Amino acid sequence: MMRYIKLVNFEINRFSKIYLSLLLITLVSQFAGVIIVTKSLLNDARDIMKEERLSEAAYITNYGSIDFNHIANSLLFVGPIALSAVALIFYIFLIWYRDWFGKNTFIYRLLMLPTSRLSIYLSKATSIFLMVLGLIAFQIIILPMENALFNSNVPEALLSEMSISTITIANPILSLIIPSTFTQFLISYGIGLMIMSILFTAIMFERSFRIKGFIMGLLYCGIAAVLFLAPVLMEIGNFYFYPNELFGLMLAIGIILTGLSVWLGAWLLKNRVTV
């Protein structure tokens, strides 16, 4: 267990500079977005009231009040979230291929460690999952601060205050990364874990068999996607499931695919990937 924890810590440290940069970009961009977008909204509102000679009450009647949705839908707010997501998806591949194609071909040393290769596999998966949770936790922490800053900068007469839960539900991206219920959290991040395990297995196929393995990995990803979406595809074909049945089928298939992918990926790493 201690070796596994050390491996997780090692993997996180290797990505720490980029990870901290993502956190800093998110912090700066989103707070800048609050200030810049708020100022722009207020300037537009003042210009309209001046041109049309409207009172604040008349402006709200004609154009609506100003709420945090304007901020949450802006590029400065959503951009860093998308950037972080793309960076972590890219890191799913980098976390393996960097070891093979780095200056010192570090994978040789890693695979020669006196520990189970399953621990190496799981440590890489765990480190990525922990970094995802860290980014989500960071967003949850700064979101109330951003909302408070927005509320303090908008005149009360034009402001429509929103709670944090309302903000997350109203914004599609925030509702995806910050689920409103524990069940939704398990579903969203369970699917994420399944996709990561499938991609890990595809990488192990490629590393085991090279060109043939690349094709095998693509086929594996395609078959896994079809199997997971099979209940939905069956419904499109007029085969009806009750909502609970559909959820149960997809949950069972997701668990099976995740378990199979972890087992197969670990088996390939142990028996087919050589130093």
Side-chain angles (χ1 to χ4, degrees):
M1 178 59 73
M2 286 302 298
R3 287 175 179 172
Y4 162 72
I5 294 174
K6 288 180 180 179
L7 284 170
V8 172
N9 182 62
F10 172 73
E11 292 292 350
I12 292 175
N13 286 337
R14 295 176 81 188
F15 192 63
S16 60
K17 291 182 180 179
I18 299 175
Y19 188 68
L20 291 174
S21 297
L22 291 174
L23 295 178
L24 182 60
I25 290 170
T26 301
L27 180 69
V28 173
S29 179
Q30 289 190 352
F31 272 94
V34 172
I35 296 170
I36 294 170
V37 176
T38 301
K39 185 176 180 180
S40 175
L41 289 170
L42 291 177
N43 287 338
D44 290 344
R46 292 189 185 102
D47 289 342
I48 291 172
M49 285 188 286
K50 183 177 180 180
E51 290 175 5
E52 300 183 13
R53 298 181 181 180
L54 299 175
S55 65
E56 291 177 337
Y59 174 84
I60 292 176
T61 301
N62 293 340
Y63 296 96
S65 55
I66 300 175
D67 58 44
F68 195 83
N69 270 334
H70 294 89
I71 307 296
N73 291 323
S74 67
L75 181 60
L76 285 170
F77 189 92
V78 175
I81 298 175
L83 176 65
S84 298
V86 170
L88 288 175
I89 291 171
F90 177 72
Y91 193 61
I92 290 176
F93 297 92
L94 181 64
I95 201 172
W96 287 106
Y97 286 109
R98 175 180 55 185
D99 293 339
W100 263 281
F101 299 113
K103 290 183 180 179
N104 300 316
T105 318
F106 185 75
I107 191 66
Y108 295 155
R109 296 167 57 191
L110 194 61
L111 294 180
M112 292 297 290
L113 289 174
T115 187
S116 167
R117 290 192 181 183
L118 177 62
S119 296
I120 297 172
Y121 181 99
L122 292 178
S123 67
K124 291 180 181 293
T126 302
S127 64
I128 291 174
F129 188 64
L130 288 177
M131 285 187 281
V132 170
L133 293 182
L135 286 169
I136 302 310
F138 185 70
Q139 184 65 74
I140 292 173
I141 291 171
I142 65 174
L143 186 56
M145 302 178 190
E146 294 164 348
N147 191 35
L149 177 61
F150 172 77
N151 291 341
S152 65
N153 285 336
V154 178
E156 188 174 348
L158 299 176
L159 175 65
S160 176
E161 291 194 36
M162 299 176 68
S163 65
I164 299 302
S165 60
T166 304
I167 293 170
T168 55
I169 292 172
N171 184 273
I173 294 179
L174 288 177
S175 64
L176 178 64
I177 67 172
I178 309 176
S180 58
T181 66
F182 184 66
T183 300
Q184 290 177 337
F185 172 84
L186 292 178
I187 293 171
S188 295
Y189 290 96
I191 292 174
L193 280 173
M194 179 190 70
I195 293 173
M196 180 174 66
S197 67
I198 291 171
L199 291 176
F200 269 23
T201 302
I203 293 169
M204 290 301 101
F205 271 121
E206 190 277 329
R207 288 291 84 198
S208 299
F209 305 104
R210 298 305 190 265
I211 299 299
K212 291 181 180 179
F214 177 76
I215 297 172
M216 293 167 68
L218 289 178
L219 287 174
Y220 183 79
C221 290
I223 292 170
V226 170
L227 287 175
F228 182 68
L229 296 174
V232 177
L233 296 175
M234 291 171 68
E235 278 213 324
I236 294 175
N238 297 323
F239 193 96
Y240 181 75
F241 290 108
Y242 289 106
N244 288 339
E245 292 175 337
L246 181 63
F247 172 76
L249 278 172
M250 296 188 73
L251 177 63
I253 294 171
I255 292 172
I256 292 170
L257 283 174
T258 302
L260 175 64
S261 297
V262 171
W263 174 81
L264 183 55
W267 185 87
L268 288 168
L269 182 62
K270 179 181 178 181
N271 297 288
R272 301 298 305 186
V273 177
T274 61
V275 297

